[in-house]
Amino acid sequence: MNILTIILVLIVLVNGVFAIRFVKDLLKNKGEVMKEPGNPIMMAFVEFFIFLLSTFGISDFAIGAAVYPKLKWTTDEKLPGTLNTQCVIPVAVMALSYISSIDVDLTTLLVAIIAQVVGAYISPRYVVKLPVRIIKRFVATGLIIAAGLIVAGKVGIYPTGGTATGLTGFKLVLLGVLSFVYGAVNNIGIGSYALTSATVYALGLSPLVAFPIMMGACTFSVPVGSMQFIKLDSYSRKITLFAAIFGSLGVLVAVFVVKSLDVALLQWVVVAVVLFSAAQMIASSSKKEA
């Protein structure tokens, strides 16, 4: 059994444990699930497009945090748990699809995944003590600079980007360090998708490589915390169920589109996603300050 097969098997096992816990909880509360707020048809439509966009790197956390309270689909108390549980199955589908279909150096992939998972695991005791407003503004600035470098490379001002599928030496170490940081800040609500996309591109890798890396890291780190939300009954079962079904369908449609995209076009998609995320962080930090 090679390393790639082991990674794919581990994804199935880790997320399979979550799926079993979730199904048991659904069966235990089957009389209450469909009584939870939310029109089923609208919810199916919303989840499909949330995770279609998420597959391109646009944070489902950010969209869900904006949409669910406005539609009154869940309470403020259950929102954090819902944002975590809803994405487990769709992200597992993303990871399996991208890792098995996009060419990426396994050493590079493993370094990024392990570093981000470790960062997500050990960071809460430290990261939560930092001023979130300052962190968000710092990250937003970094994203804007990264987007500027990508655009500069596209117009020939700055030589950036590339077609490589793996890293070695200092660049590999740097990817590991940054992935650790991204796993850490993920715990304070700063999604790692745009950060990973910008980093992968800036280090000279093909933009396509960002997808298996960022999905691979999330699919190992999110299920663990999500099972705690199930145990604490602090999540929306209905949203999570619809996301697992219709969100996964959105992922499969988007994966097909991503694999058929021209890399040059994908670079502009990365710029758009990065700037969108930066704008969200700046707006969020301003609200915190008000």
Side-chain angles (χ1 to χ4, degrees), residues 130-276:
L130 299 175
V132 177
R133 176 176 56 84
I134 300 301
I135 294 176
K136 285 188 175 183
R137 288 187 175 181
F138 175 77
V139 173
T141 301
L143 287 173
I144 293 171
I145 292 173
L149 291 175
I150 294 173
V151 172
K154 293 293 292 178
V155 299
I157 298 175
Y158 177 78
T160 185
T163 58
T165 58
L167 298 171
T168 58
F170 172 74
K171 285 187 176 181
L172 181 61
V173 173
L174 180 59
L175 176 65
V177 171
L178 292 175
S179 295
F180 174 87
V181 173
Y182 301 159
V185 299
N186 213 28
N187 284 307
I188 57 173
I190 300 176
S192 60
Y193 282 7
L195 294 168
T196 302
S197 294
T199 300
V200 162
Y201 188 72
L203 291 175
L205 290 168
S206 166
L208 287 171
V209 173
F211 291 97
I213 288 177
M214 62 190 180
M215 307 310 179
C218 287
T219 200
F220 283 109
S221 60
V222 175
V224 177
S226 294
M227 284 187 277
Q228 294 303 310
F229 286 116
I230 291 177
K231 182 179 179 181
L232 296 169
D233 189 21
S234 185
Y235 77 112
S236 166
R237 297 179 181 89
K238 189 174 182 179
I239 291 175
T240 303
L241 176 61
F242 276 70
I245 298 170
F246 297 99
S248 295
L249 290 176
V251 168
L252 293 174
V253 170
V255 167
F256 176 80
V257 173
V258 167
K259 288 193 290 184
S260 64
L261 277 177
D262 180 80
V263 171
L265 175 60
L266 188 56
Q267 291 166 351
W268 288 113
V269 173
V270 170
V271 170
V273 170
V274 167
L275 290 177
F276 174 79

